[in-house]
Amino acid sequence: MNITDETIEYVAALAKLELSSEEKEKAKKDLGSILSYIDTMNELNTDNIEPMSHVFPIKNVFREDIVTNESNRDTLLSNAPKQKDGCFIVPKTIE
Amino acid sequence: MKSYEMVIGLEVHVELATETKIFCGCTTKFGGEPNTHCCPVCTGMPGTLPVLNKKVVEFAIATGLALNCKINQNCKFDRKNYFYPDLPKAYQVSQLYLPLCHHGGIEIQVNGAKKIIGIHEIHMEEDAGKLIHDSWEDCTLVDYNRCGVPLIEIVSEPDMRSAEEVIAYLDKLKLILQYLGVSDCKMQEGSLRADINLSVREAGAKEFGTRTEMKNMNSFKAIARAIEGERKRQIELLEEGKAVIQETRRWDDNKDTSFAMRSKEDAQDYRYFPEPDLVPIEISDEWIDEINNRQPELRDEKMLRYETEYDIPAYDAGIITSSKRMADIFEKTVAICKKPKEVSNWLMVETMRLLKESEMEPEDIGFSPNNLARLIGLVQDNKINRTVAKEVFEIIFKDNIEPEAYVKEHGLMMVNDEGELRSVVEKVIAANQTSVADYRGGKDKALGYLVGQTMKEMKGKADPGMVNRILKEILTKD
Amino acid sequence: MDLTSLSALELGSKIKNKEVTVEEAVKAQLEKIKAKDKEYNCYITVLEEEALARGKEVQRLIEEGKLDSPLAGVPVVIKDNICTKGVKTTCASKILYNFIPPYDATVVEKLLNAGAVIIGKANMDEFAMGNTTETSIFGETKNPHNTEYVPGGSSGGSAAAVAAEEAFYALGSDTGGSIRQPSSFCGVTGIKPTYGTVSRYGLIAYASSLDQIGPIGKNVSDCAAVLDIISGYDSKDSTSIKQDSYNYTKALVNDVKGMRIGIPKGYLGKGLDEEVRTSILGAAEVLREKGAIVEEFELDAVDYAIPAYYVIASAEASSNLSRYDGIKYGYRTEDFEGLQEMYKKTRSEGFGNEVKRRMMIGSFVLSSGYYDAYYKKALKVKALIKEGFDKAFEKYDIIFGPTAPSTAPKLGESLSEPLKMYLGDIYTVSVNLAGLPAISLPCGADSTGLPIGLQLIGKHFGEKDIIRAAYSYEQSR
Ligand SMILES: [Mg+2]
Ligand SMILES: [Zn+2]
């Protein structure tokens, strides 16, 4: 499969990655060969086959609507690269 | 200028009134210190897994049934992938391929005309967190308290043609949801949020125009204004020969205008796929029946029952049932005091007046049915008169006080001590000889004046019937 | 005597019989790690003080009669994608270089309840994506049999630690072969349980529908004993499946009489190293001699397992790994202008090449216009693969074959050609797609002395079948 620059840029944007021009070239080549190989799936006739996401026919796994958690803010925030006033901090989101 | 028609469809997000979040045991309480209603699951910590809250499915099915939908008896969750700081996993667990409910509809009425608004689907999903802009440090604070609160998204067909229809639809929807008890529908707290998909087309045209999606309206008034604003904006564009761009716009109610929300470079490709961490849901006929049997009485049924069971006018029944809270108070109060017409009057007149004066919604009513019933009892037993009762009710409305105690404490009990009344009447007669003469001269009106004077002396606490009787007695005797 | 050469069960019974204290065992293990790990690099984290303190505590509990697990007091190493409360859990990635989970994975809880002493966290391929344990930011792990070779991956640190006697047993995770293939390369034994048998709660996800935690040990008995402890229904994992019995040590029976064993013809064909083939067929012969019925058969659709696997695993990974955005935990880039740049730089600097590659494949196969052709197609292929196995298990109790097409490659040979590396998963990935249990155990060595692994695949919840067959084979070696 031939992967274009646009495709690589589009996919990198979806994955929120920034690639250098060498990385882009390498990615084009790798993705091309991997996807070509993946395309061999098309040799297999799958007409009338239901796509299967779960192997086991397990259904209806629920929990009851009962509060079980207590506030544990310090622990939750302890891994944050930046925090303030009990919140995670990000660059401003409103332009 | 040509004549144009609007085509409007709504996506309504409703926060469900469950105790816990959709996939973890955290509370759904509104507010709270930031990030105190959170756990590793709802903050997207590595290695954590979701487990579905059964109540969410039941509430969603109940809503589907009330909105005349078909229930998808095999349904499952999908992931919607996008990056934003309010979404800690960078995907929202939602439903795309097999939503829980579809093909429903509800009837609305605008200016006497009835119309069905189709419901395309209802799906379950998780809410996102909240972003708070910190202008001091020019950064954004992230609070995940709301993250994982269960939502249903009710997607209508593009069946609405005016702001009035939209408001009627939302009103009806809100009432149904409140009656079901699946949501408190408080727009100010974000538990009911409507996104508006709107396009315009030349009157009579078959094809839809290009639509925009508008977000961030937090009252029905704002929705009406946003619709009008967007209608004008789109028509102006078309009149100038420009195209409407399909985009998401954010309504700013203060500036009375909307802004395009996302930049174009940001690709909208959500890469939905079946959620592997959750298993499918199979909804049996029995389960649906069970929920159906548990469905509470909805408004239309309730109105009919009020007319027949309580013998109150359709008009009154309409007003009382226009809010679930009001209807609840009505029924509970009647159950205690057995006086439907009295209760209805207190709600229709005094309660409505006080709500309006204090700019409150019926949902905010804070007094207990018990206290209203006791007030009605006091009037009934001639313990206080109506004037005093109105005064007391204002206090009940405000502070939910116990009427007996209040009346006693403030000496508002009606005086029906014959001796005390008689001495006051005698004092009034002595001081108003002209009126006495007038009455005796055949002017019946003079009696009313004397009653009024007595009541004034008694600060309104006298039983008017008794005053009347004693006055007549003395005046005819002498 | 060198305690570290004991098996986990042997050490457990010596502790129980008061021949050895837990502290002595922990100290011996720590010394071995100190002596060897500079060379092999099996560990990301060694918990020296914590393990010694825990050792004392466990000894006390044993003396008080509060612990009766056969593995009480035995030190264990946990793969570094399994969350350990208060102990750094990195997935061998820069993006989680400093992440300290505030919770234990369910398996860790279970091990601790059984008196385990966690001695450290094992090296691995970054986010379990790889076959060589060369993609770790903490440096590659080396094969203890020959340090010029890779230990396999992604649970390479776990397998190598067991092989080097740097651990009595280990936990690994297996998404496409990540327990079995390194076990095979390092000459140890590893089990990938039936999907849903061991809780995934606390396992940092690579591909949720395929991931399973499992044991790596010095022999079949050790693995069965560990599986007894870590398996079980968990209400925190919605894909957990309740089973009647979790007693796997019961299946340690030296008897395969009448057992029906099928060898897929495709597993012996093109691409299989000659020395591996000879070894595998030799093992088949051993089982036949012990009374098993062994025959070759045609396994349907299995040729398409690798493409289907890479589509499904990459798609799920692209979603699972999106949460690493520099906001809640882990690495955040130093210099950035605005939110979008923070995202992109954090992720570009935080992830290694193989992880980026799979996230990009995953994003591509799910993107609009390609979903049906790739993702949906892969789910259909998966359905056919499962159907193929279902048919096979109507005729056979277990499926038999090699774990990997060759013995361990040299360090530095694999990463430059990703596609070739992916093809090494040919015998393992279909097991994950179909959710089956499988075991890899040593069955010889090639001419350079590198171990060869034999793979036994069971039907759903057929752990006992493969454990029995593996144990029987092991007893005859
Ligand atoms: Mg939505
Ligand atoms: Zn939570």
Side-chain angles (χ1 to χ4, degrees), chain C residues 42-157:
Chain C
C42 305
Y43 281 79
I44 288 176
T45 303
V46 179
L47 298 167
E48 194 169 343
E49 276 168 43
E50 295 90 334
L52 286 168
R54 167 78 180 159
K56 279 193 190 127
E57 185 197 351
V58 171
Q59 181 68 42
R60 184 176 51 79
L61 291 170
I62 291 172
E63 280 164 16
E64 289 170 5
K66 287 178 182 155
L67 285 172
D68 64 350
S69 160
L71 294 180
V74 180
V76 54
V77 61
I78 311 278
K79 189 177 180 181
D80 213 23
N81 60 349
I82 298 173
C83 288
T84 38
K85 187 174 178 174
V87 174
K88 202 175 70 169
T89 301
T90 67
C91 284
S93 180
K94 182 173 176 182
I95 206 133
L96 276 180
Y97 76 106
N98 60 355
F99 175 61
I100 298 176
Y103 43 87
D104 275 324
T106 297
V107 288
V108 171
E109 250 171 37
K110 282 174 174 280
L111 282 178
L112 292 176
N113 289 339
V117 179
I118 297 171
I119 200 117
K121 302 298 294 283
N123 204 5
M124 55 185 281
D125 277 301
E126 186 182 4
F127 277 98
M129 297 178 191
N131 304 5
T132 63
T133 314
E134 291 172 294
T135 67
S136 164
I137 46 145
F138 300 102
E140 73 258 7
T141 296
K142 293 183 172 124
N143 193 318
H145 292 272
N146 184 334
T147 53
E148 283 174 28
Y149 290 79
V150 304
S154 66
S155 310

Side-chain angles (χ1 to χ4, degrees), chain B residues 11 13 80 92 94 123 125 151 153 272:
Chain B
E11 287 166 27
H13 287 88
K80 178 181 183 178
Q92 180 194 33
S94 181
H123 62 254
E125 59 186 25
L151 291 178
E153 182 175 336
Y272 279 98

Side-chain angles (χ1 to χ4, degrees), chain B residues 141-392:
Chain B
L141 308 177
V142 190
D143 171 11
Y144 292 126
N145 278 354
R146 201 181 64 182
C147 201
V149 167
L151 291 178
I152 48 174
E153 182 175 336
I154 304 169
V155 184
S156 84
E157 297 293 351
D159 287 346
M160 285 157 275
R161 297 290 175 269
S162 67
E164 290 75 32
E165 288 185 2
V166 169
I167 301 300
Y169 168 75
L170 283 171
D171 256 328
K172 179 103 184 200
L173 203 58
K174 187 174 159 187
L175 267 183
I176 292 173
L177 294 165
Q178 286 176 336
Y179 268 93
L180 288 172
V182 304
S183 176
D184 61 17
C185 295
K186 290 186 182 163
M187 285 193 92
Q188 324 84 288
E189 293 183 5
S191 48
L192 186 142
R193 312 193 286 269
D195 300 340
I196 297 174
N197 289 301
L198 187 154
S199 63
V200 297
R201 61 180 172 190
E202 266 186 62
K206 287 237 165 58
E207 299 285 307
F208 289 157
T210 306
R211 69 186 155 90
T212 60
E213 184 181 356
M214 240 180 331
K215 290 180 185 292
N216 196 43
M217 286 85 39
N218 51 19
S219 70
F220 283 10
K221 276 182 198 151
I223 288 172
R225 276 199 295 272
I227 290 173
E228 184 49 26
E230 185 60 11
R231 186 183 71 89
K232 276 194 188 144
R233 194 188 68 88
Q234 290 193 14
I235 290 174
E236 269 169 33
L237 283 173
L238 296 179
E239 286 287 307
E240 288 166 19
K242 291 178 187 156
V244 174
I245 301 162
Q246 183 165 349
E247 62 189 355
T248 305
R249 301 180 68 83
R250 181 188 161 85
W251 176 252
D252 187 330
D253 207 38
N254 295 321
K255 295 186 180 138
D256 209 28
T257 182
S258 65
F259 302 92
M261 254 173 69
R262 290 194 182 102
S263 55
K264 278 167 231 144
E265 59 191 287
D266 213 15
Q268 293 283 304
D269 188 339
Y270 293 126
R271 291 154 291 142
Y272 279 98
F273 71 101
E275 166 59 277
D277 286 331
L278 291 165
V279 299
I281 308 164
E282 193 174 76
I283 299 156
S284 64
D285 293 340
E286 291 75 42
W287 197 9
I288 294 177
D289 288 346
E290 208 184 297
I291 291 170
N292 232 335
N293 293 335
R294 278 205 307 254
Q295 283 300 68
E297 184 184 39
L298 296 180
R299 188 195 183 189
D300 295 350
E301 298 166 66
K302 217 182 249 301
M303 275 175 67
L304 282 177
R305 183 166 64 85
Y306 282 12
E307 287 174 54
T308 54
E309 190 179 327
Y310 299 130
D311 196 26
I312 61 170
Y315 178 78
D316 295 25
I319 290 185
I320 292 170
T321 58
S322 68
S323 141
K324 168 78 165 38
R325 175 94 182 120
M326 190 96 99
D328 281 349
I329 290 177
F330 173 75
E331 288 181 35
K332 282 183 190 150
T333 313
V334 172
I336 302 168
C337 72
K338 317 271 188 269
K339 300 233 165 352
K341 187 60 198 158
E342 274 295 308
V343 180
S344 160
N345 282 342
W346 280 106
L347 294 177
M348 299 265 305
V349 184
E350 289 306 306
T351 307
M352 290 309 268
R353 177 178 66 82
L354 291 169
L355 283 173
K356 203 168 175 190
E357 277 174 21
S358 41
E359 292 184 340
M360 284 162 66
E361 297 291 324
E363 282 72 47
D364 306 324
I365 293 176
F367 63 82
S368 69
N370 201 23
N371 284 337
L372 175 55
R374 284 153 87 170
L375 182 71
I376 291 170
L378 287 176
V379 176
Q380 210 65 41
D381 300 345
N382 265 327
K383 296 271 175 54
I384 55 174
N385 65 33
R386 288 204 178 266
T387 322
V388 170
K390 279 184 192 172
E391 264 171 56
V392 177

Side-chain angles (χ1 to χ4, degrees), chain A residues 69 76, chain B residues 21 23-27 37-43 144-145 147-148:
Chain A
N69 298 337
L76 288 178
Chain B
K21 294 185 176 180
F23 299 126
C24 64
C26 290
T27 176
H37 300 170
C38 300
C39 73
V41 175
C42 57
T43 53
Y144 292 126
N145 278 354
C147 201

